[in-house]
C-alpha cells in the first residue's frame, strides 16, 4: 500500500502550515495505518506530487540553514509527525518549488535518517509486495517520477508582490528526459507501471489541459501500457480515462479550491479547457467555481492498495 498527495506545501509565514493541511495529515495517518478488519497492511511509502512549499518554494536568505530548517520543520516534519507517516516520502518538484531554492530540497534528502527522498529532478523506484503472505509470489510496482517543469518549459510564471518572472527551469533537457523515461518504460517488467508529474495532461478542473505534455509524453504512456499517470497542480481531484489510460489527479493536500474545467470554458472557450472526445470523467471532487469553498472537504489524498 502507498499514499500519494499533491500540493500540500503549507504557507510562507508562521506557523508555515495551514489548518487544512494539518487536518488532511490526520486523515492520511488514519488511512495509512494497518487495518486488520480489512486485512490491509500499513502504507509503506508516500509519493509527493509536487508543490511541497508555498508560495515560492524554499526561500533564499542570508541565513539559509536557519530559514530552511524552519520551513522543513513547520511545513513537513511537524505536520506529518505520525508514526504511520514515518515512511519514505518520494518527492518531485512543482512549479511553486521551482520559484525558490530547489537545491535545498535535494540537500534535505541527504540528512541522516531522512524520510525525504529526492535524489534528482526526475527519478524512479521499484517496489515488490508479497501476495497473501506468500514467500514466493510477489507483485512488482514501478513508479517513474518526472519533473513537469523540465518536460513543459515556459508553461508557468512565478509571482510575488505583483511581480512575475519565468520559472528558472532548464529549457534544453526535454528530449534527454523523455529518452530516460522511454528507456525505463522499455526495460520495465512491473505488474503495475505508474508515471507521475506535477502537471496533469488532461484536466477536469480549471487550469485545463497541458498541450505540451500531451505532445511530449502521452504517446509514450500509451505505447508502453502504463497503468496510470498521477499528478497534482489542480487544487481538486479527478480520475479521467482516455484511450485505455488512467489519468488521476489529486492536488488537494492543502485545500480543495478549484472549479471544474467547464467553469474555465465558460469564461474562455478553448479546447484546452475541454476533455478530448471519448474521454470518460470517472470521478471529480471540486468546487462549483474557483475558490467558492463549495468543495465540501478540507483536503485529500490518494490511497493505493497493490
Amino acid at each position: 500500500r502507498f499514499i500519494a498527495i499533491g500540493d500540500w506545501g503549507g504557507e510562507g509565514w508562521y506557523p508555515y502550515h495551514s489548518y487544512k493541511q494539518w487536518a488532511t495529515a490526520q486523515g492520511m495517518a488514519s488511512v495509512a495505518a494497518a487495518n486488520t478488519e480489512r486485512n490491509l497492511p500499513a502504507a509503506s511509502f508516500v509519493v509527493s506530487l509536487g508543490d511541497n512549499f508555498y508560495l515560492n518554494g524554499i526561500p533564499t536568505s542570508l541565513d539559509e540553514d536557519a530559514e530552511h530548517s524552519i520551513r522543513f520543520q513547520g511545513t513537513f516534519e511537524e505536520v506529518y509527525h505520525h508514526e504511520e507517516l514515518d515512511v519514505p516520502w518520494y518527492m518531485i518538484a512543482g512549479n511553486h518549488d521551482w520559484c525558490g531554492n530547489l537545491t535545498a530540497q535535494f540537500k534535505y534528502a541527504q540528512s541522516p535518517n531522512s524520510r525525504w527522498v529526492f535524489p534528482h529532478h526526475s527519478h524512479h523506484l521499484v517496489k515488490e509486495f508479497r501476495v497473501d503472505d506468500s514467500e514466493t509470489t510477489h507483485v512488482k510496482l514501478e513508479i517513474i517520477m518526472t519533473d513537469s517543469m523540465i518536460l513543459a518549459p515556459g508553461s508557468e510564471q512565478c509571482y510575488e508582490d505583483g511581480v512575475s518572472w519565468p520559472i528558472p527551469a532548464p529549457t534544453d533537457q526535454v528530449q534527454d528526459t523523455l529518452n530516460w523515461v522511454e528507456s525505463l518504460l522499455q526495460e520495465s517488467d512491473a505488474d503495475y507501471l505508474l508515471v507521475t508529474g506535477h502537471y496533469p495532461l488532461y484536466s477536469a478542473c480549471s487550469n485545463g489541459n497541458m498541450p505540451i505534455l500531451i505532445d511530449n509524453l502521452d504517446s509514450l504512456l500509451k505505447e508502453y501500457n502504463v497503468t496510470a499517470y498521477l499528478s497534482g497542480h489542480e487544487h481538486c481531484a479527478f480520475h479521467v480515462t482516455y484511450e485505455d489510460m488512467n489519468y488521476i489527479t489529486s492536488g488537494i493536500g492543502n485545500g480543495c479550491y478549484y472549479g471544474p474545467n467547464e467553469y474555465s470554458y465558460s469564461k474562455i472557450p478553448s479546447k484546452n479547457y475541454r476533455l478530448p472526445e471519448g474521454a470518460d470523467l470517472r470521478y471529480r471532487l471540486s468546487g462549483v467555481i474557483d475558490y467558492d469553498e463549495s468543495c465540501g472537504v478540507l483536503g485529500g489524498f490518494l490511497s493505493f492498495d497493490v
Side-chain angles (χ1 to χ4, degrees):
R1 294 180 66 217
F2 70 96
I3 301 287
I5 184 170
D7 301 75
W8 49 268
E11 298 173 334
W13 53 88
Y14 183 84
Y16 304 105
H17 56 261
S18 70
Y19 168 70
K20 292 182 177 181
Q21 181 197 5
W22 183 272
T24 302
Q26 314 316 305
M28 283 180 66
S30 177
V31 170
N35 188 319
T36 55
E37 291 184 3
R38 297 177 57 199
N39 194 31
L40 292 176
S44 56
F45 61 95
V46 175
V47 170
S48 173
L49 299 170
D51 280 359
N52 311 321
F53 295 96
Y54 289 116
L55 179 60
N56 284 316
I58 294 287
T60 299
S61 67
L62 294 178
D63 190 359
E64 286 193 357
D65 290 339
E67 184 73 27
H68 297 173
S69 177
I70 288 171
R71 284 309 309 267
F72 281 107
Q73 291 299 314
T75 303
F76 179 62
E77 301 289 359
E78 294 173 4
V79 179
Y80 308 102
H81 59 86
H82 317 75
E83 180 181 356
E84 296 86 354
L85 302 178
D86 188 17
V87 294
W89 284 57
Y90 296 95
M91 317 302 295
I92 53 174
N95 52 300
H96 288 273
D97 299 305
W98 269 97
C99 294
N101 187 342
L102 191 52
T103 300
Q105 296 196 40
F106 298 139
K107 183 179 178 181
Y108 194 70
Q110 301 169 12
S111 305
N113 303 315
S114 177
R115 54 184 167 155
W116 185 277
V117 183
F118 203 172
H120 198 265
H121 296 106
S122 299
H123 54 108
H124 84 296
L125 58 140
V126 177
K127 301 282 186 178
E128 290 194 3
F129 301 87
R130 290 190 301 175
V131 177
D132 298 327
D133 296 325
S134 170
E135 295 293 336
T136 58
T137 304
H138 294 78
V139 171
K140 181 180 287 189
L141 167 70
E142 184 166 4
I143 305 178
I144 301 171
M145 306 187 66
T146 69
D147 191 317
S148 293
M149 303 315 110
I150 290 176
L151 287 177
S155 53
E156 288 279 350
Q157 296 273 311
C158 303
Y159 298 92
E160 187 171 23
D161 298 329
V163 178
S164 66
W165 66 95
I167 285 178
T171 60
D172 60 351
Q173 296 182 16
V174 176
Q175 194 57 53
D176 286 347
T177 303
L178 289 173
N179 291 343
W180 172 81
V181 170
E182 184 169 20
S183 69
L184 291 174
L185 293 174
Q186 287 175 331
E187 296 168 3
S188 179
D189 61 353
D191 300 287
Y192 297 98
L193 180 57
L194 305 179
V195 176
T196 76
H198 181 62
Y199 289 155
L201 277 70
Y202 302 102
S203 177
C205 286
S206 58
N207 272 326
N209 305 327
M210 186 63 69
I212 187 172
L213 272 186
I214 294 171
D215 292 343
N216 285 341
L217 189 58
D218 201 30
S219 61
L220 290 179
L221 303 180
K222 292 167 181 171
E223 179 180 353
Y224 293 100
N225 298 312
V226 170
T227 308
Y229 177 80
L230 310 183
S231 61
H233 190 56
E234 295 277 28
H235 295 181
C236 65
F238 57 82
H239 177 193
V240 170
T241 57
Y242 178 53
E243 296 181 342
D244 297 322
M245 257 295 298
N246 293 282
Y247 305 88
I248 303 172
T249 289
S250 182
I252 54 176
N254 199 24
C256 181
Y257 298 111
Y258 287 179
N261 55 322
E262 294 91 344
Y263 165 66
S264 292
Y265 184 79
S266 69
K267 298 187 299 179
I268 309 174
S270 164
K271 67 178 182 179
N272 290 340
Y273 296 113
R274 301 291 293 271
L275 292 174
E277 185 176 351
D280 184 12
L281 177 58
R282 309 291 296 274
Y283 170 84
R284 178 169 58 197
L285 176 64
S286 72
V288 177
I289 62 175
D290 287 354
Y291 299 102
D292 68 349
E293 299 292 338
S294 66
C295 193
V297 300
L298 293 174
F301 52 90
L302 304 170
S303 175
F304 294 88
D305 300 334
V306 180

